[in-house]
Amino acid sequence: MKERFRPILKPDDIYQRSFSMIEEEIGEHTFTEKQWPVVRRVIHATADFELGKSLLFHPKAVDAGRRAIGEGKGVVVDVRMVQAGVENERLLRWGNRITCRIGEEKAGKIARREGITRSMAAMRLAAGAAQGAVVVVGNAPTALIELVRLVREDRLRPALIVGLPVGFVSVTESKEMLWSLREIPTITNRGRKGGSSAASAVVNALASMVDSPAVR
Amino acid sequence: MKERFRPILKPDDIYQRSFSMIEEEIGEHTFTEKQWPVVRRVIHATADFELGKSLLFHPKAVDAGRRAIGEGKGVVVDVRMVQAGVENERLLRWGNRITCRIGEEKAGKIARREGITRSMAAMRLAAGAAQGAVVVVGNAPTALIELVRLVREDRLRPALIVGLPVGFVSVTESKEMLWSLREIPTITNRGRKGGSSAASAVVNALASMVDSPAVR
């Protein structure tokens, strides 16, 4: 078998085959028709049904996200892995600028001066770009906590916040804080899992839905 | 609780706390003392114990990887998300160049001409940089299949192959093909899970072990 194995080579065929396998294996769930393409894409990117099924959607999240992307409102991300995951033809076609400020020297300076994490400092620096945009946290819970604070203090109003940090420290707490922000559309999940691939998959799924008839 | 939650803000404290939680929760396993820091870091990056426990190590893999990184032999990666995950001070300090050729126009041309995936074409283009280097596949099974072919045909001899593609199509098969390559040190895992974060975590764990006394 090993010597004779012939992989599927066409990207569209790989997607189609993966999506049918996911639909065969998912079993019962309560996601709506609009949410399902996002969930399916997260499962595709992670091969993790548990992570896919843990997703939580504000009722307006999918429409808010695809509208903002279709109108080129831009995407703000916490880390370079998420930036690499979303910086693709589909996002850029609609005129979206991808903003990631964690690598800037200024972020390090603010972090040291204020005694906060570099991710928090980068989120403060990105607040201007985040107005009306899709803001995505795929790694750092402290970035998400800072984001929630800025929204609560009425200093920031993104179109959608995708909050999927991953890990053991402050992660579930940061997601609970985000989920309690009912005035802003949000997508998050239950538990410690998340990560750059899941977060990018959410944004890429929303971008692929911009042209769907239901959006306008 | 939500209003009063105070996150841990120092990166070293976050790592320490995460690592102790992982060690408390992991339960029994058969990883060696050398392999454990790699497994722990994958669990830290994914919050997924199942993924961490699915890792497979060639007996010489950890030493081969940290030696190659310590000697600045370079790292070749399949996708930009893995590049973003490993392009950090620790890797660069040892003089490692990070090579990722998937974005080049040439990769697209070869793919179209030969009827192969862009990931396979990018791996062919990177074969020169991959000699004696650490080669990392965090996304595309077809890149891993191409890599195995180049090694079998004696056209490529990396120091270590980290093969952790993720997904539903050709993924487990590509890992079985890699694992059957006993002449080269490899790190892979059982099953469909994997991904850019897990693959980057393996490389970053190896880089953090370069200075460990056992390496020389």
Side-chain angles (χ1 to χ4, degrees), chain A residues 1-3 5 7-9 14 17-18 21-22 25 43-49 80-82 84-85 87 115-117 120 142 145 152 166-170 173 176-177 180 192-194 196-197 200, chain B residues 1-3 5 7-9 14 17-18 21-22 25 43-49 80-82 84-85 87 115-117 120 142 145 152 166-170 173 176-177 180 192-194 196-197 200:
Chain A
M1 182 281 277
K2 278 164 194 165
E3 299 299 330
F5 176 70
I8 304 178
L9 294 178
I14 296 173
R17 180 83 193 103
S18 304
M21 289 171 81
I22 293 166
E25 293 182 37
I43 297 171
H44 175 256
T46 59
D48 191 339
F49 285 91
R80 289 187 50 243
M81 281 189 78
V82 177
E87 217 159 42
I116 59 177
T117 67
M120 291 171 100
T142 56
I145 292 169
R152 276 197 191 142
V166 60
F168 292 84
V169 173
S170 309
E173 292 87 347
E176 283 166 20
M177 288 165 79
S180 73
R192 291 165 168 176
K193 287 181 179 177
S196 304
S197 300
S200 309
Chain B
M1 181 279 276
K2 276 164 196 165
E3 300 299 329
F5 175 71
I8 304 178
L9 294 178
I14 295 173
R17 180 82 194 105
S18 303
M21 289 171 80
I22 293 167
E25 294 182 36
I43 297 171
H44 175 256
T46 59
D48 191 340
F49 285 92
R80 290 187 49 240
M81 281 188 80
V82 178
E87 218 159 41
I116 59 177
T117 66
M120 291 172 101
T142 56
I145 292 168
R152 277 197 189 142
V166 61
F168 292 83
V169 173
S170 308
E173 292 88 347
E176 284 166 20
M177 288 166 79
S180 73
R192 292 165 169 175
K193 287 182 179 177
S196 303
S197 301
S200 309

Side-chain angles (χ1 to χ4, degrees), chain A:
Chain A
M1 182 281 277
K2 278 164 194 165
E3 299 299 330
R4 287 159 161 278
F5 176 70
R6 291 271 176 280
I8 304 178
L9 294 178
K10 289 191 186 160
D12 286 349
D13 295 350
I14 296 173
Y15 267 106
Q16 268 331 104
R17 180 83 193 103
S18 304
F19 285 172
S20 349
M21 289 171 81
I22 293 166
E23 287 179 0
E24 271 165 35
E25 293 182 37
I26 182 75
E28 280 188 38
H29 65 80
T30 57
F31 295 110
T32 67
E33 215 176 310
K34 271 184 190 175
Q35 294 162 354
W36 173 242
V38 179
V39 176
R40 186 177 58 183
R41 191 146 184 145
V42 168
I43 297 171
H44 175 256
T46 59
D48 191 339
F49 285 91
E50 184 190 84
L51 172 51
K53 285 183 163 182
S54 73
L55 287 170
L56 297 168
F57 293 82
H58 180 284
K60 293 185 179 162
V62 172
D63 281 336
R66 59 187 187 170
R67 186 170 300 118
I69 291 168
E71 291 173 358
K73 302 288 190 187
V75 179
V76 172
V77 304
D78 63 334
V79 291
R80 289 187 50 243
M81 281 189 78
V82 177
Q83 183 174 28
V86 302
E87 217 159 42
N88 53 48
E89 196 229 318
R90 189 172 281 139
L91 260 284
L92 304 176
R93 187 202 309 158
W94 307 105
N96 291 285
R97 199 171 146 185
I98 318 291
T99 302
C100 178
R101 303 198 60 176
I102 196 157
E104 291 177 25
E105 212 175 303
K106 211 170 165 183
K109 265 189 201 164
I110 295 175
R112 281 187 299 276
R113 195 182 61 210
E114 312 266 329
I116 59 177
T117 67
R118 196 175 178 111
S119 310
M120 291 171 100
M123 211 35 90
R124 278 188 207 171
L125 286 173
Q131 296 291 359
V134 175
V135 184
V136 189
V137 175
N139 185 277
T142 56
L144 191 54
I145 292 169
E146 180 67 8
L147 201 52
V148 170
R149 188 182 69 80
L150 292 169
V151 172
R152 276 197 191 142
E153 293 178 1
D154 277 329
R155 290 160 65 188
L156 181 59
R157 197 91 190 174
L160 169 69
I161 300 176
V162 178
L164 292 169
V166 60
F168 292 84
V169 173
S170 309
V171 169
T172 53
E173 292 87 347
S174 73
K175 290 172 184 174
E176 283 166 20
M177 288 165 79
L178 178 68
W179 192 238
S180 73
L181 265 193
R182 303 303 293 170
E183 64 271 36
I184 296 254
T186 55
I187 299 175
T188 182
N189 76 324
R190 287 195 186 85
R192 291 165 168 176
K193 287 181 179 177
S196 304
S197 300
S200 309
V202 168
V203 177
N204 292 329
L206 294 171
S208 73
M209 294 164 81
V210 168
D211 280 331
S212 309
V215 74
R216 295 188 186 272

Side-chain angles (χ1 to χ4, degrees), chain B:
Chain B
M1 181 279 276
K2 276 164 196 165
E3 300 299 329
R4 288 157 160 280
F5 175 71
R6 289 274 176 278
I8 304 178
L9 294 178
K10 288 189 188 163
D12 286 349
D13 295 349
I14 295 173
Y15 269 105
Q16 267 332 105
R17 180 82 194 105
S18 303
F19 286 172
S20 356
M21 289 171 80
I22 293 167
E23 286 178 1
E24 271 165 36
E25 294 182 36
I26 182 75
E28 279 188 37
H29 64 80
T30 57
F31 295 109
T32 66
E33 215 177 310
K34 271 185 190 175
Q35 293 162 354
W36 173 243
V38 178
V39 176
R40 188 177 57 184
R41 190 144 184 146
V42 168
I43 297 171
H44 175 256
T46 59
D48 191 340
F49 285 92
E50 184 191 82
L51 172 51
K53 286 185 161 181
S54 73
L55 287 170
L56 297 169
F57 293 82
H58 179 286
K60 294 184 180 164
V62 172
D63 281 336
R66 59 188 188 168
R67 187 171 299 115
I69 291 168
E71 291 172 357
K73 301 288 191 189
V75 179
V76 172
V77 304
D78 62 335
V79 290
R80 290 187 49 240
M81 281 188 80
V82 178
Q83 181 174 29
V86 302
E87 218 159 41
N88 54 47
E89 195 229 320
R90 188 172 281 138
L91 260 284
L92 304 176
R93 188 201 308 157
W94 307 104
N96 291 285
R97 197 172 149 186
I98 318 292
T99 303
C100 178
R101 303 197 61 175
I102 196 158
E104 291 177 23
E105 211 174 306
K106 213 173 165 181
K109 265 190 201 164
I110 295 174
R112 280 188 298 276
R113 197 182 59 213
E114 313 266 330
I116 59 177
T117 66
R118 198 178 176 109
S119 310
M120 291 172 101
M123 212 34 93
R124 279 189 206 170
L125 286 173
Q131 296 292 357
V134 175
V135 184
V136 189
V137 174
N139 186 277
T142 56
L144 190 55
I145 292 168
E146 180 68 7
L147 201 51
V148 170
R149 187 182 70 81
L150 292 168
V151 172
R152 277 197 189 142
E153 294 179 1
D154 277 330
R155 293 162 63 188
L156 181 58
R157 197 91 190 171
L160 169 69
I161 299 175
V162 179
L164 291 169
V166 61
F168 292 83
V169 173
S170 308
V171 169
T172 54
E173 292 88 347
S174 73
K175 291 173 183 174
E176 284 166 20
M177 288 166 79
L178 178 68
W179 192 237
S180 73
L181 265 194
R182 302 304 294 169
E183 64 270 37
I184 296 254
T186 56
I187 298 175
T188 182
N189 76 324
R190 285 194 188 86
R192 292 165 169 175
K193 287 182 179 177
S196 303
S197 301
S200 309
V202 167
V203 177
N204 291 328
L206 293 171
S208 73
M209 295 164 79
V210 168
D211 280 331
S212 309
V215 75
R216 291 181 193 278

